[in-house]
Amino acid sequence: MRDQVVLTGIKPTGMLHLGNWVGAIRPTIELSHKPNMKTYFFIPDYHALTNFKSPDKLCEYTYGAVATCIALGLDPSQVVFYRQSDVPEVFELNWILACFSPKGLMDRAHAYKMKSNPNSDVNMGLYTYPILMAADILLMHSNWVPVGNDQQQHLEIARDLARRFNQQYRTDVFTLPEALISLAGVVIPGLDGRKMSKSYHNTIPIFAPPEHLRKLVFHIATNSSGIHDQKDIETSTIFQLYQLFSTPKQMEDLKRQYQNGIVWKDAKEALFSLLDDQLRGPRAYYETLMDNPQKLERILQEGASQAREVASKTLERVRYTLGINQKRKTHGNGSSRP
Ligand code: ADP
Ligand code: TRP
């Protein structure tokens, strides 16, 4: 049986946070343990450039993202890690796909539409962001792409571009990818109750040192209900975060305490202890990995060479399909269809 391909990427624009863990990393770890799965985890550093321009930080956050995923359970002997910028084939495919992308499709993409002033806040990298993302996905023949809810539209665009190309050339060169949206599309809330996101500066970094983690948890916005009033679990960010990491029994216990009128300070303490207990071991491993950037670089370089092997074969088929370089091939060594 042919392996199924799982692929995901996280931009190196900050320390990875609980939203990244639940939305993308945790489902990727689960899939990577299944039989007949080939898993790729890559760092889309050129995607980051659309809104992040700090050279020193880019390098630090790239290693941070890789170390975070390994410490949480993505095993580099099973999973291929690479940087987008180390796989130049993706940029050739990006151009090819751009030539199949109607402008209207980009006009409807929300990453660019979310900017308050599309004329001044949007560069062409951001505007064409979904095309580069489609190239990342299609180049590796991805079947499954674990992502948070906010990336669903990008996955639909990737699928749409793959389908158009395959239909136009009557080929199966591209695999149609599926988004794997965890927890039925839950968006993990941040400190202020909006989506947890590096761009909103409202994140809880997975491997924040314990004192900082505690401080952040105590910054989570709560409502002004009276000290011993019954508390509503539906609108409580603390409860929503707690249930993502607790056992069903722990969750039921906290739910009962909410009904009995838990004091916000105690709810925050419960969340902090839950997170700190789970993260203590992985945090120590993360710190060891971060002290060894040479090892992280080696993992990325080995991954890039594996990814390029697949990527160059895909691109060869795509070029052949388009008629690019076909002539030279048939006149040169007489080789036929790749
Ligand atoms: P950020 O918004 O912090 O920049 P990214 O865009 O780099 O995060 O997201 C990387 C992955 O993590 C994506 O699959 C994204 O959907 C997921 N993700 C990010 N934030 C959340 C969240 N708050 N809830 C669920 N998934 C999330
Ligand atoms: N757009 C994704 C994000 O902001 C990052 C990304 C780039 C990605 N290319 C990808 C995710 C390919 C999955 C697959 O989170």
Side-chain angles (χ1 to χ4, degrees), residues 95-116:
W95 173 258
I96 295 169
L97 293 175
C99 297
F100 290 82
S101 303
K103 177 174 170 290
L105 192 64
M106 293 305 106
D107 288 341
R108 291 193 292 278
H110 62 54
Y112 122 83
K113 278 186 14 193
M114 266 161 56
K115 295 286 169 189
S116 50

Side-chain angles (χ1 to χ4, degrees), residues 135-308:
D136 295 327
I137 294 170
L138 302 181
L139 195 61
M140 306 308 289
H141 300 291
S142 314
N143 300 97
W144 304 104
V145 185
V147 279
N149 193 22
D150 58 312
Q151 298 298 311
Q152 179 137 22
Q153 190 193 36
H154 289 150
L155 261 294
E156 279 160 17
I157 293 175
R159 231 181 127 81
D160 188 15
L161 294 180
R163 199 185 297 109
R164 271 169 208 271
F165 188 96
N166 284 356
Q167 273 171 2
Q168 184 161 341
Y169 291 96
R170 295 174 198 279
T171 170
D172 60 358
V173 63
F174 291 132
T175 304
L176 299 198
E178 296 262 5
L180 213 101
I181 311 283
S182 65
L183 300 167
V186 169
V187 171
I188 312 320
L191 300 178
D192 53 3
R194 291 186 296 169
K195 177 201 165 210
M196 186 177 289
S197 171
K198 292 173 229 127
S199 16
Y200 296 151
H201 306 291
N202 65 353
T203 69
I204 301 184
I206 304 167
F207 292 132
E211 331 70 76
H212 187 49
L213 178 65
R214 191 164 191 283
K215 216 156 143 194
L216 289 172
V217 169
F218 273 76
H219 265 97
I220 294 175
T222 49
N223 66 24
S224 56
S225 52
I227 192 157
H228 293 299
D229 286 354
Q230 186 176 32
K231 307 287 190 297
D232 178 17
I233 58 169
E234 301 292 333
T235 54
S236 164
T237 299
I238 303 170
F239 191 84
Q240 284 168 37
L241 291 174
Y242 190 90
Q243 68 179 357
L244 292 166
F245 303 99
S246 62
T247 61
K249 177 169 178 323
Q250 287 172 316
M251 188 187 79
E252 284 306 320
D253 283 351
L254 190 67
K255 196 167 163 184
R256 210 164 313 110
Q257 294 182 56
Y258 264 62
Q259 282 157 358
N260 295 338
I262 191 171
V263 180
W264 283 131
K265 181 173 89 42
D266 294 342
K268 289 178 174 178
E269 199 61 58
L271 175 61
F272 167 70
S273 303
L274 180 80
L275 290 174
D276 196 44
D277 283 352
Q278 282 186 30
L279 292 173
R280 199 169 300 122
R283 190 192 292 123
Y285 187 20
Y286 164 82
E287 281 161 8
T288 316
L289 288 164
M290 287 303 276
D291 283 342
N292 194 347
Q294 292 87 344
K295 178 175 170 163
L296 295 170
E297 190 54 43
R298 228 176 12 252
I299 291 171
L300 285 168
Q301 292 310 316
E302 278 165 18
S305 73
Q306 286 189 50
R308 288 196 71 183

